[in-house]
Amino acid sequence: MVDDLLGNILERVVARNPGEPEFHQAITEVLHTLQPLLERRPEYLDQRIVERVCEPDRQVLFRVVWQDDAGRVQVNRGLRVQFNSALGPYKGGLRFHPSVNLGIIKFLGFEQTFKNALTGLGMGGGKGGSDFDPKGRSDAEVMRFCQAFMTELVRHIGPHTDVPAGDIGVGGREIGYLFGQYKRLTNAYDSGVLTGKGVGWGGALGRTEATGFGAVFFLSHLLASRKRTLDGLTATVSGSGNVATYAVAKLEELGARVVAVSDSSGSVHDPAGIDLALLRQVKEVERARISEYAARRSGSTFLRGARPWAIPCDVALPCATQNELDESDARSLIANGCIAVVEGANMPSTAGAIELLRQAGVAFGPAKAANAGGVATSGLEMQQNASRQQWTFDQTVGRLAEIMQRIHDTCETTADEFGRPGDLLLGANIAGFRQVADAMLAHGVV
Ligand code: GLU
């Protein structure tokens, strides 16, 4: 009965949002896990909470016009989807990447809503971005783009309304330019309007490391429930941005050997273990391709165009982008004896891959729980801004560690509560949804 109702809701949501496969994928995954909750809480269906959380509060699309270094006029599209504000101001990153479209931003905003709920820090869900490609652009071009982007975004955001941050293609440099333009336009030093700021002007120490660290904290708890530790395990990590870099750092600190990282051009296999200093030099300082790492590191090889999942590992952390781990990748991981997959990126595993991992008994840390450390630390940055304080690195990372432990335990106990022990995907979806849904019920028909 509930199953049929959910099927009908899903059909209507898909029909209402044509041509948005990533959004369909994200809602399908969540709706498929809600049945046991809805059987116990029929008021969610009566009050149409499922339909309501699938429809963003507001979607803003705008033109961004700027001039490149040659004086040519460039036209991009800007987006901000304010998905759900039941638990707090909209909160979520901005992604600058040529693949960005409304369906991708909607999937990210939907995921963000439940992820933010799991942090327990009173944040709603939102996401934004642009099809602007920062790759190959000068600092001056990135600055002019950010200024043009903020010139429109300014009217939609605010410390109590919507608080953007970074995502793919948006890091400290971009947040700086965005903040500078916001300040110029509003004549207000609203530190709390953006997170991921520089540590000298309102940013939180530890925010840069937070998503990668958080994913590894989550992995440690997941292993601990299975009476294992990271010490001596072999890990593969995809990506080489912020999330991947600090996942590598924490994995190595906790005794694992990370034998792979990647970018969109291919993967590096480094059997001796990734040299973190070299990785940071190549990616953070030089903004170069990952092949440059292999060129400078003896004993490592560059696998052009390949993802890292065929390289044998005990634990795998997809930390690059959506749908980067598919069924054939899952088969390779299973065949090589991988015991855990923990998602550092948003929706990196396809539905088919997740099902294969489940059948094979591979422990799975779903993105909205495992990568919540980034936005959780944004929440801690907002706390520091509101109280005009700056905590030490250890204070912030200590709070992050507690939050990741709590998120893991919530997923685990919720899975137990609904008779599906070990199913952290179901646990994360139900725990996040329940919190948002209860707040929406309390707020009435709005
Ligand atoms: N983009 C990150 C995420 O996917 C962080 C968002 C934030 O800090 O607001 O959760």
Side-chain angles (χ1 to χ4, degrees):
M1 172 69 175
V2 167
D3 216 17
D4 290 347
L5 285 171
L6 277 172
N8 292 341
I9 294 171
L10 192 55
E11 231 171 76
R12 282 199 301 275
V13 176
V14 169
R16 181 189 267 167
N17 299 276
E20 297 180 351
E22 293 85 2
F23 183 48
H24 303 164
Q25 184 182 340
I27 55 170
T28 303
E29 183 216 282
V30 170
L31 266 50
H32 276 162
T33 56
L34 292 183
Q35 185 184 343
L37 175 68
L38 297 171
E39 274 164 2
R40 291 188 199 176
R41 301 289 302 273
E43 67 271 33
Y44 291 155
L45 285 170
D46 290 345
Q47 293 298 313
R48 313 280 296 263
I49 297 290
V50 180
E51 288 99 320
R52 282 154 68 182
V53 296
C54 289
E55 184 68 16
D57 289 1
R58 190 172 298 104
Q59 308 178 49
V60 186
L61 298 181
F62 52 97
R63 184 176 65 219
V64 184
V65 190
W66 57 285
Q67 268 180 304
D68 67 19
D69 286 344
R72 282 185 300 258
V73 174
Q74 300 283 342
V75 182
N76 287 102
R77 175 171 295 175
L79 307 92
R80 186 72 184 169
V81 174
Q82 298 179 329
F83 220 102
N84 190 293
S85 61
L87 296 175
Y90 306 105
K91 180 81 196 88
L94 298 169
R95 176 177 291 191
F96 292 170
H97 191 271
S99 66
V100 163
N101 58 41
L102 183 59
I104 287 183
I105 297 301
K106 278 163 71 178
F107 115 64
L108 289 164
F110 180 79
E111 290 279 298
Q112 197 82 45
T113 300
F114 305 110
K115 182 197 313 197
N116 293 3
L118 287 172
T119 68
L121 295 176
M123 296 180 287
K127 205 85 187 191
S130 175
D131 57 0
F132 170 71
D133 187 358
K135 221 174 265 153
R137 291 292 181 190
S138 68
D139 286 351
E141 287 176 317
V142 170
M143 182 180 74
R144 287 194 295 275
F145 173 80
C146 288
Q147 291 175 341
F149 184 85
M150 182 54 82
T151 301
E152 168 65 29
L153 190 68
V154 66
R155 72 190 78 219
H156 308 291
I157 64 174
H160 304 290
T161 308
D162 184 355
V163 183
D167 195 81
I168 293 171
V170 177
R173 174 182 61 171
E174 291 75 16
I175 293 294
Y177 296 146
L178 291 164
F179 186 76
Q181 181 72 350
Y182 179 88
K183 182 164 68 66
R184 172 159 73 174
L185 293 169
T186 58
N187 191 29
Y189 206 106
D190 269 335
S191 298
V193 74
L194 291 168
T195 60
K197 298 181 291 297
V199 292
W201 45 276
L205 287 157
R207 175 63 188 87
T208 310
E209 294 83 354
T211 315
F213 278 19
V216 178
F217 291 148
F218 191 95
L219 171 59
S220 301
H221 296 304
L222 182 147
L223 291 173
S225 303
R226 289 156 184 80
K227 311 263 176 287
R228 303 281 300 255
T229 69
L230 272 167
D231 197 29
L233 297 189
T234 299
T236 50
V237 173
S238 64
S240 47
N242 214 28
V243 183
T245 299
Y246 293 98
V248 171
K250 190 50 86 179
L251 284 163
E252 292 186 344
E253 192 187 316
L254 297 179
R257 190 160 44 95
V258 185
V259 296
V261 288
S262 68
D263 69 10
S264 56
S265 66
S267 300
V268 163
H269 183 200
D270 189 350
I274 294 294
D275 176 342
L276 185 65
L278 178 59
L279 177 66
R280 292 186 59 187
Q281 173 64 26
V282 169
K283 296 306 288 192
E284 284 178 9
V285 180
E286 299 174 24
R287 296 182 190 266
R289 309 302 311 192
I290 199 69
S291 51
E292 199 46 45
Y293 175 98
R296 292 189 213 168
R297 169 89 166 159
S298 66
S300 73
T301 42
F302 178 58
L303 310 164
R304 187 170 302 283
R307 310 202 270 219
W309 312 127
I311 298 167
C313 67
D314 299 307
V315 293
L317 290 89
C319 295
T321 194
Q322 67 269 3
N323 292 327
E324 53 158 322
L325 196 161
D326 64 15
E327 286 175 51
S328 78
D329 299 319
R331 282 194 196 94
S332 306
L333 289 168
I334 294 163
N336 287 330
C338 174
I339 57 170
V341 173
V342 164
E343 298 186 315
N346 287 314
M347 204 171 74
S349 313
T350 65
I354 295 172
E355 181 54 21
L356 287 177
L357 295 170
R358 198 187 60 76
Q359 286 168 9
V362 177
F364 184 70
K368 38 176 109 51
N371 77 29
V375 73
T377 307
S378 281
L380 302 180
E381 183 171 328
M382 291 160 74
Q383 291 185 12
Q384 291 170 59
N385 295 150
S387 59
R388 305 184 71 82
Q389 292 178 7
Q390 184 164 48
W391 307 348
T392 64
F393 181 86
D394 288 347
Q395 264 174 299
T396 305
V397 175
R399 288 282 304 274
L400 167 66
E402 287 165 20
I403 292 168
M404 295 314 296
Q405 160 110 55
R406 192 168 34 72
I407 293 175
H408 170 269
D409 295 353
T410 300
C411 296
E412 196 168 63
T413 52
T414 307
D416 289 345
E417 182 190 338
F418 287 89
R420 293 275 289 272
D423 189 342
L424 302 186
L425 178 69
L426 177 131
N429 287 344
I430 290 186
F433 178 88
R434 182 159 54 181
Q435 213 180 325
V436 174
D438 286 341
M440 290 175 77
L441 282 182
H443 295 163
V445 181
V446 288

